[in-house]
Amino acid sequence: MSETSSRKQARRNNAMSVAGISSARAETEESLWTGRLVLFLRIMAVLSLAAGLYHWAQVTGFIGGEDNGFENQTVAWQAATVYFAVIELVAAVGLWLATPWGAVVWLTTVVSMAVVELMFPAIYGGNLAVVGIETAMLVAYLGLAWMAARERPP
């Protein structure tokens, strides 16, 4: 009897290892879009970090001369620059960690920049190229998030 039970145990172990291999393979195939989404979020984190540091460089005076210094700008420009200096760095941390709040903060920065450029052109100049780039990043994020959500059944 012990020989029969040891054969059954060997079959179970073999079946479990085959099931584990096939489930791991299926998991990697099914998480293709999720991996792409995380890669996109990491790229956006690096870009947000660069944008935040750029805004901080404007605030601290590393960028711009005496005439274009932070204190010589309008109050609206100063407020927008400080806002983006803070929120871009917060978004960068959240995006790098691929957390839901990071995506929300990043979406807030994207929409905020588009609104500032479109509705208040006196602040940053109303550059439509910035709005186009922000819109393209937003569409790319929504597409990747949609495809990643379709991978996981409810």
Side-chain angles (χ1 to χ4, degrees):
M1 288 236 182
S2 66
E3 191 174 313
T4 306
S5 66
S6 64
R7 284 184 190 169
K8 286 181 182 180
Q9 184 66 26
R11 285 184 196 154
R12 268 192 225 135
N13 289 342
N14 191 18
M16 292 173 98
S17 65
V18 171
I21 291 170
S22 63
S23 68
R25 186 177 301 143
E27 184 177 313
T28 56
E29 290 173 2
E30 289 177 1
S31 63
L32 175 69
W33 287 103
T34 303
R36 289 177 181 173
L37 176 62
V38 170
L39 177 64
F40 177 81
L41 292 176
R42 296 270 167 95
I43 292 169
M44 290 299 102
V46 171
L47 293 177
S48 289
L49 180 67
L53 292 176
Y54 172 78
H55 288 294
W56 274 114
Q58 288 179 318
V59 170
T60 57
F62 284 114
I63 294 177
E66 290 287 325
D67 297 335
N68 294 330
F70 181 79
E71 59 278 343
N72 295 333
Q73 300 295 333
T74 64
V75 174
W77 186 92
Q78 291 175 350
T81 302
V82 169
Y83 169 77
F84 286 114
V86 172
I87 200 166
E88 288 280 1
L89 295 180
V90 173
V93 171
L95 288 171
W96 188 264
L97 297 174
T99 60
W101 64 264
V104 170
V105 173
W106 177 74
L107 290 171
T108 303
T109 63
V110 168
V111 171
S112 298
M113 183 58 84
V115 166
V116 166
E117 291 287 350
L118 287 175
M119 305 297 240
F120 306 103
I123 295 176
Y124 286 138
N127 191 350
L128 292 178
V130 171
V131 175
I133 291 169
E134 299 282 346
T135 303
M137 290 188 306
L138 178 62
V139 167
Y141 170 74
L142 292 175
L144 287 168
W146 177 268
M147 295 304 289
R150 289 182 50 174
E151 283 181 344
R152 289 173 261 136

